[in-house]
Amino acid sequence: MPGLPDNPIYQQILTALIDAAAPQRCRDLCRTLATGTEPTHISGMRNKLKRLTSAGLVVETEPGLFAIPIPRTAD
């Protein structure tokens, strides 16, 4: 996938967001991916999500809530 950093965790994050019914918080994704919920893990997850946001693969719908962007349809 273009713009995806070269680390399997990024694909796992995208898959978790695709499977989620609603935007997710960093702590929720840490639980889903079993990476740990200590502050360092949550901070690391936030950094990864911000990197995916910068690449246009994820959107921050509200501060701290992340989701896969909804494709625009042509009218």
Side-chain angles (χ1 to χ4, degrees):
M1 180 174 280
L4 186 65
D6 189 27
N7 186 325
I9 189 68
Y10 291 97
Q11 184 59 52
Q12 293 169 358
I13 292 168
L14 291 174
T15 300
L17 287 172
I18 289 167
D19 292 342
Q24 299 290 297
R25 296 202 178 278
C26 297
R27 181 180 302 274
D28 298 329
L29 285 167
C30 285
R31 283 188 194 122
T32 299
L33 299 174
T35 61
T37 56
E38 292 78 21
T40 56
H41 295 122
I42 294 169
S43 178
M45 180 63 69
R46 183 175 295 106
N47 291 337
K48 289 173 180 65
L49 287 163
K50 292 290 189 175
R51 184 173 293 149
L52 290 170
T53 301
S54 294
L57 300 171
V58 171
V59 294
E60 192 169 6
T61 59
E62 292 179 23
L65 285 174
F66 297 89
I68 297 295
I70 298 171
R72 291 183 179 181
T73 58
D75 293 329

